[in-house]
Amino acid sequence: MIDALIAAPLLLPAFAGTATLLFRRRRRWIGAAISVGSAAGLVLLALVLMARAMASEPLAYALGNWPAPFGIVLVLDRLAALMLLLTAVLGLAVATHATLTGLDRKGWHFNPLFQFQLLGINGAFLTGDLFNLFVFFEVLLIASYGLMLHGQGAQRLTAGVQYVIVNLIGSTLFLIALGLLYGITGTLNMADMAVRAAALPPGDMGLLRAGGLLLVMVFALKAALAPLHLWLPRTYGSTAPAVAALFAIMTKVGAYAIMRTVPLIFGDGVGQVLLPAALVTMLLGFVGLLAARSLRDMAAFGLIGSTATLLVAIAQFDQPAMTAALFYLPHTTLAAALLFLTVDLVIRWRPAEGDSIVPTSSFAGQGRLALLFLAAAIALAGLPPLSGFIGKLLILQASLASPYVIAIWALVLGTSLLAVVGMARAGTTVFWKQGSCPPTSKSRTAFRAIEAMPAFFLLVMLGALTVAAGPATAYADATSRQIFDVPAYVRAVLGPAAPGATP
């Protein structure tokens, strides 16, 4: 029964997305209820699957009962379970926020696209095959195109065209990398490829590394790693902030793919180029946050910087650094989403100024929103008492053995200061400084405290991660060991008798 549940995170949003199509024009509240209910169901499913992943080694489920490597296989382990739970929590918060604020009523297809976005993300985390990883990437990208344009607008359309072009290039490179790797190894099943790659003659290792580097470059594009990061500020800064909050998990899909494929198939030699790029991206991201003139741009650059901080830990490809990355990963995702939802509330509750970082005439709920913004700023900057501070300490501690230790320490601490200064400047300008001009005739949206509940829910999740830092670190450590345990993954997918299934 538990084996069949591995496919449930794909089936639930697929059926829910189809069902919401029946209520696009009439009784739209039913479609919204289905969407929120599906997101809540995914949270429960993820908790069940996480309990199963903690109980034993990785578990594979062959769709159609076709044995690997010939059929489609889904693989559940601690890493996949963590990503499923994180996606479900984020999806529940964003779906509820979109319903409460009326964002889902600005177009006919928000809820179906939202559910298919969750389907693509969950599929990317569960698949054990590189080609199906490409397929799920395309599913989530196609859904994201529609969500990105939701609400219309010339600026959003321009950014959407650029977003599509960038991802089409990434998809083309992905297919080229898959073709190269299949030509060398004769398989696209990740466990089978790990076995065959280890047995390749020395003369073919260069082609394997070339294919691996091309694949890692595609994943770096998804994670917005320099110099492939320029698409993200324009895209996330132009779309609806609630949609951008959901998109916070999409950069982690790229980070997840790096964590999954490099230790399993290619070895850390392929990933060596990531660390310098991550350091540069971290600096560019937080400098952009400091220089931003709008709240959405500030949140987008903050997402770039915090994702790069995560990749600094991942790119070291050793167990302590991976443990630090796995602890910091849920924090940075929830913190970025919290900031985007808070920005959306700012725009709704003071529509005369929008998201511009300018002094504001007094508006209802200003004090409560200022406190929520302060919490989001503390989370994104990685300050105590929230879990980002613990995550950054773990990253700094794990980097002591790295040859880049001086650069890592200097940039992690320096960019944290940049984040504090940038967020403090924005917060004091928007919430403390009073505009010198009288309020415009543009009507203000009435203050509704219930609209802030999804953002408060994310803040509670960050607080829970802080309080449970001990168990969370233990889970991250066990997950890190499992990531580097290649024989266990091979046993789960190919069986105990497969070559490479024993240490």
Side-chain angles (χ1 to χ4, degrees):
M1 181 62 181
I2 293 293
D3 292 5
L5 277 179
I6 297 176
L10 308 183
L11 297 176
L12 179 58
F15 288 133
T18 304
T20 57
L21 286 171
L22 302 175
F23 305 100
R24 289 182 302 156
R25 299 177 182 271
R26 297 182 178 179
R27 299 180 180 177
R28 297 181 65 181
W29 65 270
I30 299 179
I34 292 173
S35 184
V36 174
S38 171
L42 285 175
V43 173
L44 297 177
L45 276 172
L47 289 172
V48 172
L49 292 175
M50 176 172 279
R52 170 60 183 83
M54 294 172 64
S56 65
E57 289 190 343
L59 177 67
Y61 178 66
L63 298 179
N65 206 29
W66 282 82
F70 306 106
I72 298 174
V73 61
L74 304 178
V75 183
L76 175 70
D77 62 358
R78 285 174 171 267
L79 177 59
L82 172 64
M83 302 306 295
L84 288 175
L85 181 59
L86 180 60
T87 302
V89 168
L90 183 60
L92 177 59
V94 175
T96 306
H97 180 94
T99 301
L100 293 176
T101 60
L103 175 65
D104 62 329
R105 294 186 290 277
K106 292 185 178 181
W108 297 113
H109 302 94
F110 179 87
N111 289 316
L113 288 170
F114 183 87
Q115 292 300 314
F116 285 110
Q117 176 88 25
L118 295 179
L119 165 63
I121 294 172
N122 289 342
F125 294 146
L126 284 172
T127 184
D129 183 277
L130 283 176
F131 182 77
N132 289 315
L133 179 62
F134 168 79
V135 171
F136 284 119
F137 266 35
E138 294 308 300
V139 172
L140 70 90
L141 287 173
I142 290 171
S144 71
Y145 299 153
L147 288 175
M148 192 263 165
L149 297 174
H150 183 75
Q152 302 180 353
Q155 181 182 7
R156 194 165 296 177
L157 180 61
T158 301
V161 171
Q162 295 175 350
Y163 178 62
V164 170
I165 292 173
V166 168
N167 282 287
L168 284 176
I169 295 172
S171 298
T172 303
L173 294 176
F174 202 158
L175 282 176
I176 294 172
L178 292 183
L180 182 58
L181 292 171
Y182 184 78
I184 299 168
T185 63
T187 184
L188 289 175
N189 180 281
M190 286 189 273
D192 195 31
M193 186 178 290
V195 173
R196 298 191 185 196
L200 284 176
D204 290 339
M205 294 304 295
L207 286 175
L208 179 71
R209 291 192 186 96
L213 284 171
L214 188 57
L215 199 62
V216 167
M217 185 173 72
V218 173
F219 299 150
L221 173 65
K222 308 298 183 185
L225 200 63
L228 308 172
H229 69 291
L230 297 176
W231 62 270
L232 191 147
R234 183 69 181 270
T235 301
Y236 286 34
S238 299
T239 191
V243 172
L246 177 64
F247 286 2
I249 192 66
M250 289 175 59
T251 55
K252 310 311 181 296
V253 175
Y256 165 85
I258 292 171
M259 287 190 287
R260 174 65 72 201
T261 59
V262 173
L264 179 65
I265 303 171
F266 307 111
D268 57 3
V270 170
Q272 287 177 353
V273 297
L274 288 175
L275 186 52
L279 291 171
V280 172
T281 307
M282 183 166 52
L283 179 61
L284 293 175
F286 286 112
V287 168
L289 181 151
L290 182 63
R293 297 184 178 182
S294 70
L295 293 174
R296 277 188 287 192
D297 286 344
M298 182 188 69
F301 278 107
L303 175 60
I304 291 176
S306 62
T307 303
T309 305
L310 169 68
L311 287 167
V312 165
I314 293 174
Q316 296 178 55
F317 291 108
D318 60 39
Q319 187 177 320
M322 195 66 73
T323 298
L326 291 167
F327 182 89
Y328 187 70
L329 188 153
H331 170 86
T332 180
T333 305
L334 296 177
L338 171 60
L339 182 56
F340 275 114
L341 293 188
T342 304
V343 168
D344 192 40
L345 295 175
V346 172
I347 295 172
R348 286 183 55 77
W349 295 353
R350 56 155 213 171
E353 296 85 1
D355 69 335
S356 299
I357 302 177
V358 294
T360 309
S361 52
S362 298
F363 59 92
Q366 185 172 2
R368 301 181 191 181
L369 195 53
L371 291 176
L372 189 60
F373 183 87
L374 175 62
I378 290 173
L380 190 71
L383 297 179
L386 294 179
S387 52
F389 179 71
I390 302 171
K392 287 192 174 182
L393 282 180
L394 290 173
I395 293 173
L396 292 175
Q397 183 180 16
S399 67
L400 290 174
S402 171
Y404 293 89
V405 58
I406 296 177
I408 293 173
W409 275 67
L411 285 174
V412 169
L413 296 176
T415 54
S416 297
L417 177 61
L418 290 178
V420 170
V421 174
M423 299 292 287
R425 175 184 67 89
T428 54
T429 300
V430 171
F431 297 106
W432 289 4
K433 294 183 180 179
Q434 296 297 314
S436 57
C437 299
T440 65
S441 59
K442 188 173 182 179
S443 61
R444 294 183 179 274
T445 304
F447 166 72
R448 296 176 59 203
I450 193 173
E451 293 177 356
M453 293 305 295
F456 183 74
F457 168 71
L458 292 181
L459 181 58
V460 170
M461 292 297 100
L462 288 170
L465 181 60
T466 306
V467 173
T473 303
Y475 184 91
D477 186 59
T479 305
S480 177
R481 292 196 302 271
Q482 196 174 66
I483 288 173
F484 291 100
D485 189 359
V486 175
Y489 189 91
V490 173
R491 279 196 303 272
V493 177
L494 302 180
T502 56

